[in-house]
Amino acid sequence: MYRETADWAFRGFIRYLFRPKGFEVRFAGFCAAVLVALLGGNWLVKATLRGEYSFEIGSTNIIPEWAQWSLVTIFSVMFILCFVVGWKRFTRENELRNRKKVIVIEGRGLREDDGSPLTAAVPADIVGHRLGVSLDLRQKRDGFIIDPDALLPEVDAARRTVQQYARQNDRQDVTVVYGGLTPVPMTFLTGVAFDDEGSIVVMDWDRTRESWRALDSHDDGQRFIFEGLDAVQDSPEVVLAVSVSYQVRDENIGTTFDLPVVRMSLPALNSSHWSQAKQSALAQQLLDTAKLLEAKGVTTIHLLLACQNSVAFNLGRRYDKRNLPGVVVYQYEANGAKKFPWGVRMPVAGVAAPSIVRT
């Protein structure tokens, strides 16, 4: 065990020492070059022929021998000092890395396969010991939610686990990472639940690459186009259909709701959603729309989302818990007579706990 620890420490320090970073690394390289020149370049092995082969080791006498050995001593000491400084910095950074914690929340639902763990996909530049928090919303039937009521406690349990981990460490030493493949209502609820956890690094599953991916693309500038706001008169309830990845179709809405419909749709549904800046801007548009609906007297928003997991999570995080209308987020079932058979009433607008609403 101790040998393995020593080997790991030695390899880690060597990687650190020879990385192109830090003054001690550059100066140690300079000292090493000078030492090679003094001990190698100024000493030759001479071969002379005196009836038979003999070898003589001597100096080229470019500089006096006493001065040469004085320089060797000076640069050797400086090289050792660089090594000591580098080792202290390495151990200090290693202690910092061990002190920092990365709480990784991975939501799983709908699909029974475990796939690639999110914890292993967290970028290396997020420094800290990984603590995995599983939000398992699977119910042993691939692609179906049998009992949505049973899923609500799981979201709250994950929230309490994250809070417990966070309380055990200094707030500035904790980074929270979220990624998931969960039903849209539960994803939105997770965003609402983790609204108070500060900055969260959001990742998502890239179906093309078949791997987890950070929201690291550029913002293509596409924003929601609005329809139907003027048609909202005195209705206390409205349907808000948000089309990001797919179009929320009128005929599907008609199977479940007989209410005024407000639409928020992207001009191109195949545009890139892998930008944190873009998703933040879309979330702000949802917030502004909810404010407009509240000003029109709307008390309940029936929210239909067609979007990827990270978008639903970020929309949930942005939704104001106190000042906006109540909101129910619905699950889409393509094969049902009612396309939106159930939803989750969010704990906002005075609602203390989430609950399932069946249509």
Side-chain angles (χ1 to χ4, degrees):
M1 174 180 178
Y2 295 107
R3 181 176 180 180
E4 292 177 356
T5 302
D7 289 344
W8 171 85
F10 179 75
R11 289 195 300 270
F13 177 70
I14 292 299
R15 287 195 299 269
Y16 170 83
L17 185 63
F18 290 99
R19 64 176 181 168
K21 186 178 181 180
F23 79 94
E24 73 277 5
V25 177
R26 293 190 292 269
F27 197 73
F30 171 74
C31 292
V34 173
L35 289 172
V36 168
L38 290 172
L39 297 175
N42 288 329
W43 290 83
L44 302 176
V45 177
K46 298 180 179 180
T48 59
L49 183 60
R50 298 175 181 172
E52 59 180 352
Y53 290 104
S54 65
F55 295 88
E56 178 185 354
I57 301 177
S59 171
T60 57
N61 294 321
I62 297 176
I63 57 176
E65 185 174 347
W66 65 268
Q68 182 174 351
W69 283 110
S70 297
L71 290 173
V72 168
T73 301
I74 292 172
F75 281 99
S76 296
V77 170
M78 288 191 293
F79 182 84
I80 293 172
L81 287 176
C82 290
F83 185 91
V84 172
V85 171
W87 176 259
K88 287 185 176 180
R89 179 179 295 188
F90 168 75
T91 53
R92 185 168 60 250
E93 291 185 359
N94 196 48
E95 290 173 358
L96 180 64
R97 185 180 297 107
N98 290 334
R99 189 176 75 241
K100 288 183 175 295
K101 299 295 185 291
V102 182
I103 304 174
V104 184
I105 310 163
E106 180 177 354
R108 291 195 176 275
L110 296 181
R111 296 291 177 258
E112 285 299 316
D113 60 291
D114 289 331
S116 175
L118 176 61
T119 305
V122 175
D125 57 358
I126 301 179
V127 178
H129 177 64
R130 272 57 168 157
L131 298 171
V133 176
S134 176
L135 177 57
D136 195 343
L137 303 180
R138 295 172 293 185
Q139 293 190 323
K140 307 305 179 184
R141 285 190 61 184
D142 198 35
F144 294 94
I145 298 297
I146 303 170
D147 182 13
D149 294 272
L151 302 181
L152 299 179
E154 298 296 332
V155 177
D156 187 60
R159 178 186 62 83
R160 286 187 280 107
T161 300
V162 170
Q163 289 179 340
Q164 181 180 2
Y165 281 152
R167 282 195 295 266
Q168 295 172 356
N169 301 273
D170 193 321
R171 189 79 176 189
Q172 65 181 359
D173 292 331
V174 176
T175 301
V176 179
V177 177
Y178 168 81
L181 292 168
T182 53
V184 167
M186 298 301 167
T187 305
F188 194 95
L189 175 61
T190 305
V192 172
F194 286 99
D195 176 47
D196 298 326
E197 294 304 319
S199 178
I200 296 180
V201 178
V202 181
M203 301 180 68
D204 209 335
W205 180 259
D206 190 330
R207 298 179 185 275
T208 302
R209 300 182 181 180
E210 295 187 345
S211 62
W212 293 102
R213 177 180 171 186
L215 304 181
D216 52 4
S217 291
H218 71 283
D219 182 0
D220 61 10
Q222 290 211 10
R223 300 294 184 264
F224 287 125
I225 297 174
F226 299 90
E227 298 177 60
L229 278 171
D230 296 335
V232 178
Q233 299 298 331
D234 299 323
S235 176
E237 300 184 31
V238 299
V239 171
L240 179 56
V242 180
S243 302
V244 181
S245 303
Y246 299 92
Q247 186 70 34
V248 180
R249 296 160 55 185
D250 290 332
E251 57 268 30
N252 291 336
I253 298 175
T255 65
T256 311
F257 302 99
D258 185 17
L259 294 169
V261 177
V262 177
R263 286 190 168 277
M264 298 172 62
S265 306
L266 287 181
L269 298 179
N270 61 348
S271 66
S272 172
H273 311 315
W274 293 99
S275 164
Q276 180 62 60
K278 178 180 179 178
Q279 291 200 20
S280 296
L282 298 181
Q284 183 62 44
Q285 284 188 291
L286 175 69
L287 178 64
D288 294 340
T289 302
K291 290 179 181 179
L292 291 175
L293 293 175
E294 193 277 334
K296 291 177 176 289
V298 173
T299 58
T300 301
I301 297 173
H302 300 274
L303 184 57
L304 313 180
L305 292 175
C307 62
Q308 66 191 63
N309 188 276
S310 56
V311 175
F313 179 81
N314 281 324
L315 293 181
R317 291 200 71 211
R318 185 61 63 89
Y319 201 88
D320 193 311
K321 295 179 180 179
R322 293 172 294 276
N323 303 315
L324 296 180
V327 59
V328 182
V329 181
Y330 289 86
Q331 173 71 8
Y332 173 71
E333 298 290 354
N335 298 323
K338 288 185 176 181
K339 302 301 182 183
F340 302 95
W342 61 271
V344 176
R345 187 180 299 278
M346 299 295 157
V348 301
V351 177
S355 60
I356 300 298
V357 175
R358 289 177 170 80
T359 59

